[in-house]
């Protein structure tokens, strides 16, 4: 019995801890759904049996004492075992006629001891039973935490969530993403806070955990301008809408406030929140850019018990420490985990709920209202290792992605595609869609026709590459999955660019002739900086806030003509911050990558810094 208790209990504790603090695996969660009831049944049965048996034994002893049926007692003693004759002497103690043995303290203590020993051997002492009750409490608490972690999106779906954040910010316009579910008309009011040239006015204050600032926080004698009113979004788009501010000035910091026009007893409109951003330089002009990069987040992982309905995203909390001077964040996929640790379904609402959970997190709310965040999607926005093109649930997944992260992105080259390109001064970006156009894995090995980008996207990318080759000082190509072949396990060999060698070589043959081009990627929950065979450097950084394997890894350093500059496996929080300077020396730019992890100085200072060897580009 004790062995069964220990095995079942330890198995449940290991599985629950694995889900909560190591890897939120679907398989571990399903196994724990079996292990916990077994452990609960075995442990409760043992506790109840011990309690019942203890009561029965006490009743039997009392009856025995009261009956007075035992009038004799015998005791034996064993003499020295080394004695040659090993003699045993017995001594019989005769009872006195008419004596009541229940009044004999010697007899009572002997009977009690016999009963206690019997019960202890079968069911444990009182201390053991208390330990089992404590173990039961630990088991129930752990399982409650697992259920909270897994089912929190269903318990707190965020139907009344308010989101107000900047998306893509150009030199003369900005996209603003709004989620508001209360109806009526909305209004945007905005004004400049400071110009890059003047650098004279303070930024708005950050007040409160939810990230919204009060209108009185910025006391500048600059009049507010109204961008006009617009209808509140409806349930058709899950109450989300993306609106544009136009006719803005380059390199100027703005604050924008959102109002509801529904009148109250005290005002004709209601202040809902504020956001801030800085417009980019005029296209082609030398610039300084500082932006964050990374991928992969899971709310409240590693798990921390919370009595509120919000689980935080600890990587975003760390990025907030550097947010005052970030111009943007390039998020490279796995913003939600639709299938980790449990796939709730293929409906659009199943995906929308997960986006709302991310935007409900306090650190997300504070970060995205201060720093524009641009997105590409990866597999977990759909399902793990997605490679089935437009097959279900792609439609539902992409509807939710577009509503929350896609529409605030830079405009795509045509409707209904997710890849895009943009410039920041004379710094150029191209963001790939590495999921929708893949050749199916089932189609076999690479025969020269296997593609990750698809013909149309690749043609557009090659055209962009020619355009920016000598018009942009620095170029960044964003891929949700790594270009390096360093990750070499079965999953990587299928899912990353390692599984598409012909198309990868074709692209690298082009990029090796493009100066100062860098690849940015995520996905693997590890970090690697690699000089590719083309001479281009890739910074693959993840997770911002997710699991990592502290003891197991399959990264091959210096593989296939590559040079590994840095590799880091450990850390639930890892992200990069890239500084680009094309102003100081317009002919030879400066690019610096800094890796941050909360394992080093709690994310306050970089764990690794790399200054790229840039070349003349004109």
């Amino acid at each position: 019995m004790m062995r069964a208790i220990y095995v079942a209990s330890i198995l449940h504790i290991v599985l629950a801890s694995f889900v909560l603090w190591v890897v939120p695996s679907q398989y571990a969660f399903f196994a724990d759904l079996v292990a916990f009831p077994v452990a609960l049944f075995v442990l409760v049965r043992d506790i109840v049996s011990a309690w019942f048996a203890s009561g029965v034994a006490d009743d039997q002893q009392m009856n025995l004492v009261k009956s007075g049926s035992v009038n004799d007692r015998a005791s034996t003693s064993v003499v020295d075992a080394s004695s040659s004759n090993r003699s045993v002497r017995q001594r019989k103690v005769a009872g006195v006629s008419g004596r009541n043995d229940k009044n004999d303290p010697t007899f009572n203590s002997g009977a009690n001891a016999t009963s206690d020993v019997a019960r202890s051997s079968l069911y444990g002492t009182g201390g053991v039973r208390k330990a089992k009750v404590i173990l039961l409490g630990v088991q129930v608490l752990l399982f409650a935490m697992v259920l909270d972690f897994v089912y929190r999106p269903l318990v707190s779906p965020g139907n009344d969530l308010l989101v107000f954040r900047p998306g893509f910010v150009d030199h003369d316009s900005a996209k603003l993403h709004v989620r508001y579910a209360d109806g009526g008309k909305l209004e945007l009011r905005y004004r400049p806070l400071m110009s890059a040239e003047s650098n004279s006015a303070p930024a708005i204050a950050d007040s409160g955990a939810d990230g919204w600032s009060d209108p009185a926080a910025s006391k500048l004698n600059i009049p507010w301008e109204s961008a006009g009113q617009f209808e509140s979004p409806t349930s058709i788009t899950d109450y989300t809408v993306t609106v544009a501010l136009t006719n803005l000035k380059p390199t100027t910091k703005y604050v924008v406030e959102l109002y509801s026009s529904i009148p109250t007893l005290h005002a004709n409109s209601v202040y809902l929140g504020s956001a801030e951003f800085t417009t980019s330089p005029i296209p082609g002009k030398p610039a300084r850019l500082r932006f964050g990069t990374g991928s992969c987040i899971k709310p409240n992982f590693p798990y921390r018990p919370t009595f509120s309905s919000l689980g935080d995203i600890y990587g975003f909390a760390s990025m907030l420490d550097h947010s005052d001077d970030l111009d943007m964040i390039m998020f490279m996929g796995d913003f939600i985990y639709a299938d980790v640790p449990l796939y709730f379904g293929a409906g659009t609402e199943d995906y929308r709920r997960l986006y709302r959970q991310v935007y409900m997190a306090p650190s997300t709310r504070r970060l995205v209202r201060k720093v524009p965040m641009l997105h590409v999607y990866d597999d977990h926005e759909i399902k793990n290792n997605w490679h089935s093109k437009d097959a279900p649930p792609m439609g539902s997944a992409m509807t939710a992605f577009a509503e929350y992260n896609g529409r605030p992105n830079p405009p795509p080259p045509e409707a209904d595609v997710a890849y895009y390109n943009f410039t920041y001064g004379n710094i150029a970006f191209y963001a790939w869609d590495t999921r929708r156009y893949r050749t199916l894995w089932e189609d076999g090995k690479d025969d020269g026709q296997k593609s990750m980008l698809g013909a149309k996207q690749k043609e557009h990318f090659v055209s962009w590459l020619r355009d920016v080759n000598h018009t942009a000082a620095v170029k960044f190509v964003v891929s949700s999955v790594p270009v390096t072949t360093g990750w070499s396990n079965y999953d990587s060999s299928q899912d990353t660019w390692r599984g598409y060698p012909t198309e990868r070589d074709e692209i690298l043959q082009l990029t090796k002739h493009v100066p100062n081009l860098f690849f940015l990627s995520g996905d693997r929950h590890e970090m690697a900086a690699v000089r590719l065979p083309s001479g281009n450097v890739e910074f693959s950084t993840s997770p911002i806030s997710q699991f990592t394997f502290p003891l197991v890894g399959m990264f091959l350093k210096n593989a296939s003509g590559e040079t590994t500059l840095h590799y880091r496996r450990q850390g639930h929080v890892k992200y990069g911050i890239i500084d680009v300077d094309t102003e100081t020396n317009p002919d030879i730019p400066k690019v610096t990558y800094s890796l941050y992890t909360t394992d080093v100085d709690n994310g306050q200072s970089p764990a690794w810094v790399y200054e790229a060897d840039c070349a003349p580009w004109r």
Side-chain angles (χ1 to χ4, degrees):
M1 177 66 72
M2 290 298 294
R3 181 176 298 177
I5 293 173
Y6 291 144
V7 171
S9 299
I10 290 173
L11 181 61
H12 164 55
I13 291 172
V14 169
L15 289 171
S17 300
F18 192 81
V19 170
L20 294 172
W21 297 297
V22 182
V23 178
S25 165
Q26 189 175 82
Y27 302 109
F29 172 62
F30 288 156
D32 195 43
L33 289 180
V34 177
F36 173 70
V38 172
L40 184 67
F41 172 77
V42 173
L43 194 55
V44 169
R45 186 182 68 173
D46 183 71
I47 293 173
V48 172
S49 298
W51 172 79
F52 179 76
S54 177
V56 170
D58 289 341
D59 290 343
Q60 290 176 345
Q61 179 184 341
M62 291 299 300
N63 292 334
L64 183 66
V65 171
K66 289 179 180 180
S67 66
S69 59
V70 178
N71 295 316
D72 299 300
R73 300 192 310 274
S75 63
T76 61
S77 62
V78 181
V79 298
D80 187 10
S82 61
S83 175
S84 59
N85 59 7
R86 304 172 60 95
S87 63
V88 178
R89 293 179 294 125
Q90 295 182 336
R91 184 172 51 139
K92 182 175 181 181
V93 181
V96 179
S97 176
R99 189 186 65 179
N100 192 344
D101 285 333
K102 68 181 180 181
N103 295 322
D104 186 349
T106 305
F107 168 75
N108 285 332
S109 61
N112 290 337
T114 303
S115 177
D116 289 343
V117 169
R119 289 199 306 270
S120 297
S121 63
L122 289 174
Y123 304 106
T125 64
V128 172
R129 290 195 296 272
K130 289 179 182 178
K132 291 178 181 177
V133 172
I134 294 173
L135 179 60
L136 175 63
V138 171
Q139 304 251 33
V140 172
L141 179 62
L142 268 177
F143 192 67
M145 288 192 288
V146 169
L147 294 180
D148 175 56
F149 175 64
V150 174
Y151 292 103
R152 179 67 67 94
L154 296 181
V155 177
S156 301
N159 294 327
D160 59 348
L161 170 69
L162 170 65
V163 177
F164 182 48
R165 70 176 184 93
F168 172 60
V169 179
D170 206 352
H171 69 286
D172 60 356
S173 64
K175 287 186 173 184
L176 293 160
H177 177 241
V178 178
R179 186 188 190 275
Y180 181 69
D182 289 345
K185 289 185 178 292
L186 299 175
E187 181 186 7
L188 294 177
R189 303 174 190 175
Y190 67 99
R191 67 179 178 181
L193 280 178
M194 56 185 286
S195 168
E197 286 77 14
S198 65
N199 198 30
S200 59
I204 62 175
D206 181 7
S207 62
D210 62 357
W212 304 127
S213 64
D214 189 88
S218 177
K219 299 181 179 180
L220 302 174
N221 295 320
I222 302 175
W224 290 95
E225 296 185 48
S226 174
Q229 293 185 342
F230 58 96
E231 293 291 340
S232 291
T234 67
S235 60
I236 296 175
T237 60
D238 200 28
Y239 305 101
T240 64
V241 65
T242 298
V243 296
L245 280 181
T246 57
N247 300 318
L248 305 178
K249 298 177 181 179
T251 58
T252 301
K253 189 163 192 171
Y254 286 88
V255 60
V256 186
E257 294 179 349
L258 179 66
Y259 287 84
S260 168
S261 62
I262 298 177
T264 66
L265 293 175
H266 306 287
N268 292 326
S269 60
V270 177
Y271 169 78
L272 298 178
S274 65
E276 61 185 69
F277 59 83
T278 301
T279 51
S280 63
I282 296 172
K285 184 178 180 180
R288 293 190 180 188
L289 172 66
R290 181 174 172 86
F291 68 99
T293 178
S295 72
C296 308
I297 54 173
K298 179 68 179 176
N300 203 22
F301 186 86
Y303 179 82
R304 300 178 189 177
T306 173
F307 294 102
S308 72
S309 61
L310 305 175
D312 208 2
I313 296 174
Y314 309 117
F316 282 172
S318 178
M319 295 183 85
L320 270 167
D321 294 336
H322 309 281
S323 62
D324 287 342
D325 55 356
L326 285 179
D327 297 297
M328 69 173 188
I329 294 172
M330 178 58 70
F331 194 97
M332 298 176 295
D334 293 342
F335 189 79
I336 64 170
Y337 275 74
D339 55 345
V340 175
L342 184 64
Y343 186 64
F344 289 108
T348 304
E349 175 58 23
D350 295 312
Y351 288 94
R352 287 168 169 169
R353 191 189 306 116
L354 297 175
Y355 283 97
R356 295 197 297 266
Q357 187 191 26
V358 173
Y359 280 108
M360 287 169 65
S363 294
T364 307
R365 292 166 63 87
R366 295 176 61 195
L367 182 64
V368 299
R369 73 104 187 177
K370 293 181 65 176
V371 185
M373 188 177 291
L374 306 182
H375 293 267
V376 298
Y377 72 94
D378 198 30
D379 54 339
H380 288 288
E381 276 90 348
I382 314 160
K383 265 188 172 182
N384 186 42
N385 291 344
W386 183 258
H387 60 279
S388 299
K389 299 189 176 181
D390 287 331
M394 184 68 166
S396 298
M398 287 299 95
T399 295
F401 172 78
E403 290 168 348
Y404 280 90
N405 289 349
R407 293 193 182 106
N409 276 341
E414 58 183 82
D416 198 35
V417 301
Y419 55 89
Y420 57 86
N421 61 278
F422 67 97
T423 60
Y424 186 98
N426 64 348
I427 306 166
F429 288 81
Y430 196 103
W432 281 335
D433 180 343
T434 65
R435 289 290 166 187
R436 186 178 182 185
Y437 310 105
R438 288 178 175 229
T439 303
L440 301 181
W441 288 6
E442 292 80 4
D443 288 351
K445 296 182 178 180
D446 189 6
D447 58 358
Q449 303 299 315
K450 192 176 182 181
S451 176
M452 183 181 289
L453 300 181
K456 195 171 186 179
Q457 180 180 193
K458 184 162 59 176
E459 180 183 358
H460 185 265
F461 170 69
V462 172
S463 176
W464 170 85
L465 207 57
R466 294 193 184 101
D467 290 342
V468 301
N469 191 4
H470 294 293
T471 60
V474 179
K475 306 89 176 169
F476 291 99
V477 178
V478 179
S479 173
S480 66
V481 294
V483 179
T484 173
T485 60
W487 282 286
S488 58
N489 58 12
Y490 174 80
D491 177 85
S492 302
S493 297
Q494 297 286 337
D495 196 53
T496 73
W497 278 98
R498 182 185 179 92
Y500 298 79
T502 299
E503 188 172 56
R504 174 181 179 271
D505 292 344
E506 178 186 352
I507 289 171
L508 294 183
Q509 284 298 316
L510 295 173
T511 61
K512 73 178 183 180
H513 300 294
V514 181
N516 310 325
L517 183 143
F518 301 86
F519 288 96
L520 305 177
S521 65
D523 180 64
R524 303 315 302 172
H525 295 213
E526 299 174 22
M527 182 274 167
V530 176
R531 189 179 301 279
L532 302 168
S534 59
N536 308 111
V537 173
E538 177 182 18
F539 302 110
S540 186
T541 314
S542 66
I544 290 179
S545 196
Q546 241 293 25
F547 73 87
T548 190
F549 290 105
L551 301 175
V552 180
M554 291 291 291
F555 186 82
L556 301 178
K557 296 183 179 180
N558 306 317
S560 303
E562 301 176 353
T563 301
T564 302
L565 304 173
H566 187 73
Y567 169 71
R568 185 180 186 91
R569 180 190 307 125
Q570 66 271 24
H572 288 104
V573 172
K574 297 189 287 290
Y575 56 90
I577 293 180
I578 298 177
D579 291 279
V580 185
D581 179 6
T582 65
E583 285 185 342
T584 303
N585 186 345
D587 293 323
I588 304 178
K590 183 178 181 180
V591 176
T592 304
Y593 172 92
S594 300
L595 170 65
Y596 288 84
T597 172
T598 51
D599 289 353
V600 176
D601 194 24
N602 201 30
Q604 298 298 308
S605 58
W608 180 72
V609 177
Y610 175 78
E611 289 194 11
D613 298 323
C614 293
W617 60 277
R618 295 182 190 273

